[in-house]
Amino acid sequence: ATYDFAGKTILITGGAGDIGKATALRFAANGAGVALLDLNETKMADVARELAEYNVPVATFGCDVTTSEDVAKAFAGAVEQLGRIDYVFNNAGYQGLFAKTDEYPEDDFQKVIDINVVGVFHVLKAAAQHMRESGGGAIVNMASYAGVVGPPNMLAYAASKFAVIGMTQTAAKDLAPYGIRVNALSPALIGPGMMWTRQTELQAAVGSQYFSSEPKVVEQQMIDSVPMRRLGSLEEVANSVAFLMSEEASYITGFNLEITGG
Ligand code: NAD
């Protein structure tokens, strides 16, 4: 479906990444102004250039979501440049290292929690404050199917994405009185993209009973576990973000939408 987002604006964290970019292009194509936030300013500038052809307002902000001051500054800048923020896609994330539970590195566990949990909290809080003032809006928090069923060798990532789904349920209750809907999105195997390639390589490197030590074989093993026998595309993820933000989803809040091909 195509939604009319003309005159609306979306703020996207992780806007330089694969899913953030696909979602930015989708919303711009449907008329929305876009604010991108990311650590990677070079890649973000490339995405902004691609967005230019849609003739919608575009703003970019170098921002580390683990720092609440950075997030507050970027929100203030986005409001200044775009007028208001109707939708927030709370999407920046880090997959973590791949290791068995008894060997999972402590510093990487902390890093995953800092980005995927504390970072998501900072953005959720800033979005709630803005939307409470502006009279409402919609937020989509990026979780993962790893936040529904813990996959092997991804202890920190599973913990962080279970947390995102929990925060989504609580925030949906807290913010319903202000006309703010909060939902979560849980893709499973999405590609092509950085995370898909990285997970096949790193699952192979761990050497567990679940996957081959050959990345190409791991790809096939993973695809064979999907009833639809294919990866989901970045555009299919963007479609789900668009649906959850749209008026078609006006009575949906606190929900975790799984995008898994079965
Ligand atoms: P990606 O690595 O291409 O994009 C993630 C982006 O987040 C990057 O541009 C990165 O620079 C940015 N980022 C990381 N840490 C940041 C920080 N501290 N502050 C600001 N920006 C930061 O990956 P993607 O596939 O586009 O993933 C986007 C989201 O989707 C993530 O939350 C990920 O966990 C989730 N997800 C992805 C998949 C998948 O298969 N691709 C599946 C399920 C969930």
Side-chain angles (χ1 to χ4, degrees), residues 109 112-113 116-117 146-147 150-151 154-167:
F109 192 96
V112 171
I113 298 301
N116 296 3
V117 181
M154 298 183 79
L155 191 71
Y157 190 73
S160 73
K161 296 302 190 179
F162 270 77
V164 170
I165 295 170
M167 287 192 282

Short mmCIF file of all heavy atoms in Angstrom, two decimals, residues 109 112-113 116-117 146-147 150-151 154-167:
data_model
loop_
_atom_site.label_atom_id
_atom_site.label_comp_id
_atom_site.label_asym_id
_atom_site.label_seq_id
_atom_site.Cartn_x
_atom_site.Cartn_y
_atom_site.Cartn_z
N PHE A 109 28.91 -7.15 25.78
CA PHE A 109 27.55 -7.24 26.34
C PHE A 109 27.08 -5.84 26.73
O PHE A 109 25.98 -5.40 26.39
CB PHE A 109 27.53 -8.18 27.55
CG PHE A 109 26.13 -8.54 27.98
CD1 PHE A 109 25.54 -9.72 27.56
CD2 PHE A 109 25.39 -7.69 28.80
CE1 PHE A 109 24.24 -10.05 27.94
CE2 PHE A 109 24.10 -8.01 29.18
CZ PHE A 109 23.52 -9.19 28.76
N VAL A 112 26.30 -3.61 23.65
CA VAL A 112 25.00 -3.93 23.03
C VAL A 112 23.87 -3.32 23.85
O VAL A 112 22.94 -2.71 23.30
CB VAL A 112 24.83 -5.46 22.89
CG1 VAL A 112 23.41 -5.80 22.46
CG2 VAL A 112 25.84 -6.02 21.90
N ILE A 113 23.95 -3.45 25.17
CA ILE A 113 22.89 -2.91 26.03
C ILE A 113 22.88 -1.38 25.94
O ILE A 113 21.82 -0.75 25.89
CB ILE A 113 23.08 -3.38 27.50
CG1 ILE A 113 22.97 -4.92 27.59
CG2 ILE A 113 22.07 -2.69 28.43
CD1 ILE A 113 21.69 -5.53 27.11
N ASN A 116 21.40 -0.66 22.21
CA ASN A 116 20.07 -1.19 21.87
C ASN A 116 19.01 -0.98 22.95
O ASN A 116 17.82 -1.04 22.66
CB ASN A 116 20.16 -2.69 21.57
CG ASN A 116 21.01 -3.00 20.34
OD1 ASN A 116 21.57 -2.12 19.72
ND2 ASN A 116 21.11 -4.27 20.00
N VAL A 117 19.46 -0.79 24.19
CA VAL A 117 18.48 -0.58 25.28
C VAL A 117 18.51 0.87 25.76
O VAL A 117 17.51 1.58 25.69
CB VAL A 117 18.71 -1.55 26.46
CG1 VAL A 117 17.66 -1.32 27.55
CG2 VAL A 117 18.67 -3.00 25.99
N ALA A 146 14.93 -11.99 17.33
CA ALA A 146 15.82 -12.40 18.42
C ALA A 146 15.32 -11.89 19.77
O ALA A 146 15.82 -12.29 20.82
CB ALA A 146 17.23 -11.91 18.17
N GLY A 147 14.33 -11.00 19.75
CA GLY A 147 13.67 -10.54 20.97
C GLY A 147 12.40 -11.31 21.27
O GLY A 147 11.66 -10.99 22.20
N GLY A 150 15.26 -16.39 21.59
CA GLY A 150 16.71 -16.14 21.66
C GLY A 150 17.46 -17.08 20.73
O GLY A 150 17.36 -18.30 20.87
N PRO A 151 18.21 -16.54 19.76
CA PRO A 151 19.02 -17.39 18.88
C PRO A 151 20.32 -17.80 19.56
O PRO A 151 20.75 -17.14 20.50
CB PRO A 151 19.31 -16.48 17.68
CG PRO A 151 19.06 -15.09 18.14
CD PRO A 151 18.38 -15.11 19.46
N MET A 154 24.01 -15.33 20.58
CA MET A 154 23.65 -13.89 20.52
C MET A 154 23.05 -13.45 21.85
O MET A 154 21.97 -12.86 21.89
CB MET A 154 22.67 -13.63 19.37
CG MET A 154 23.24 -13.95 17.99
SD MET A 154 22.08 -13.55 16.64
CE MET A 154 22.29 -11.77 16.51
N LEU A 155 23.77 -13.72 22.93
CA LEU A 155 23.21 -13.49 24.26
C LEU A 155 22.83 -12.03 24.51
O LEU A 155 21.73 -11.73 24.96
CB LEU A 155 24.24 -13.93 25.32
CG LEU A 155 23.71 -14.01 26.74
CD1 LEU A 155 22.77 -15.20 26.90
CD2 LEU A 155 24.86 -14.10 27.74
N ALA A 156 23.75 -11.12 24.19
CA ALA A 156 23.51 -9.70 24.47
C ALA A 156 22.41 -9.16 23.55
O ALA A 156 21.52 -8.42 23.99
CB ALA A 156 24.80 -8.90 24.27
N TYR A 157 22.47 -9.54 22.28
CA TYR A 157 21.48 -9.04 21.32
C TYR A 157 20.08 -9.51 21.71
O TYR A 157 19.13 -8.72 21.70
CB TYR A 157 21.86 -9.54 19.93
CG TYR A 157 21.08 -8.92 18.79
CD1 TYR A 157 21.31 -7.60 18.40
CD2 TYR A 157 20.12 -9.65 18.10
CE1 TYR A 157 20.61 -7.04 17.34
CE2 TYR A 157 19.42 -9.10 17.03
CZ TYR A 157 19.67 -7.79 16.66
OH TYR A 157 18.97 -7.23 15.61
N ALA A 158 19.96 -10.79 22.08
CA ALA A 158 18.64 -11.30 22.50
C ALA A 158 18.15 -10.53 23.72
O ALA A 158 16.99 -10.08 23.76
CB ALA A 158 18.73 -12.79 22.81
N ALA A 159 19.03 -10.33 24.70
CA ALA A 159 18.64 -9.58 25.91
C ALA A 159 18.14 -8.20 25.52
O ALA A 159 17.11 -7.73 26.01
CB ALA A 159 19.84 -9.47 26.86
N SER A 160 18.87 -7.55 24.62
CA SER A 160 18.54 -6.16 24.28
C SER A 160 17.21 -6.08 23.53
O SER A 160 16.42 -5.16 23.74
CB SER A 160 19.66 -5.53 23.44
OG SER A 160 19.70 -6.03 22.12
N LYS A 161 16.93 -7.05 22.67
CA LYS A 161 15.72 -6.96 21.87
C LYS A 161 14.48 -7.41 22.67
O LYS A 161 13.38 -6.88 22.46
CB LYS A 161 15.87 -7.74 20.57
CG LYS A 161 16.97 -7.15 19.64
CD LYS A 161 16.73 -5.69 19.26
CE LYS A 161 17.67 -5.20 18.16
NZ LYS A 161 17.43 -3.80 17.76
N PHE A 162 14.66 -8.36 23.61
CA PHE A 162 13.56 -8.65 24.55
C PHE A 162 13.23 -7.37 25.32
O PHE A 162 12.06 -7.06 25.58
CB PHE A 162 13.94 -9.77 25.53
CG PHE A 162 13.61 -11.16 25.07
CD1 PHE A 162 14.39 -11.81 24.13
CD2 PHE A 162 12.51 -11.85 25.59
CE1 PHE A 162 14.08 -13.11 23.69
CE2 PHE A 162 12.19 -13.14 25.17
CZ PHE A 162 12.98 -13.77 24.22
N ALA A 163 14.26 -6.62 25.69
CA ALA A 163 14.05 -5.37 26.44
C ALA A 163 13.28 -4.36 25.60
O ALA A 163 12.40 -3.64 26.12
CB ALA A 163 15.39 -4.78 26.88
N VAL A 164 13.58 -4.28 24.31
CA VAL A 164 12.88 -3.31 23.45
C VAL A 164 11.39 -3.63 23.41
O VAL A 164 10.54 -2.73 23.45
CB VAL A 164 13.48 -3.32 22.02
CG1 VAL A 164 12.62 -2.52 21.06
CG2 VAL A 164 14.91 -2.75 22.04
N ILE A 165 11.06 -4.92 23.35
CA ILE A 165 9.63 -5.29 23.30
C ILE A 165 8.96 -4.93 24.63
O ILE A 165 7.83 -4.41 24.65
CB ILE A 165 9.48 -6.77 22.92
CG1 ILE A 165 9.99 -6.97 21.47
CG2 ILE A 165 8.01 -7.22 23.04
CD1 ILE A 165 10.13 -8.43 21.03
N GLY A 166 9.65 -5.13 25.72
CA GLY A 166 9.10 -4.75 27.03
C GLY A 166 8.89 -3.24 27.14
O GLY A 166 7.84 -2.78 27.61
N MET A 167 9.90 -2.48 26.70
CA MET A 167 9.77 -1.01 26.76
C MET A 167 8.60 -0.55 25.88
O MET A 167 7.90 0.40 26.22
CB MET A 167 11.06 -0.33 26.28
CG MET A 167 12.21 -0.44 27.27
SD MET A 167 13.60 0.66 26.83
CE MET A 167 14.39 -0.26 25.51
#
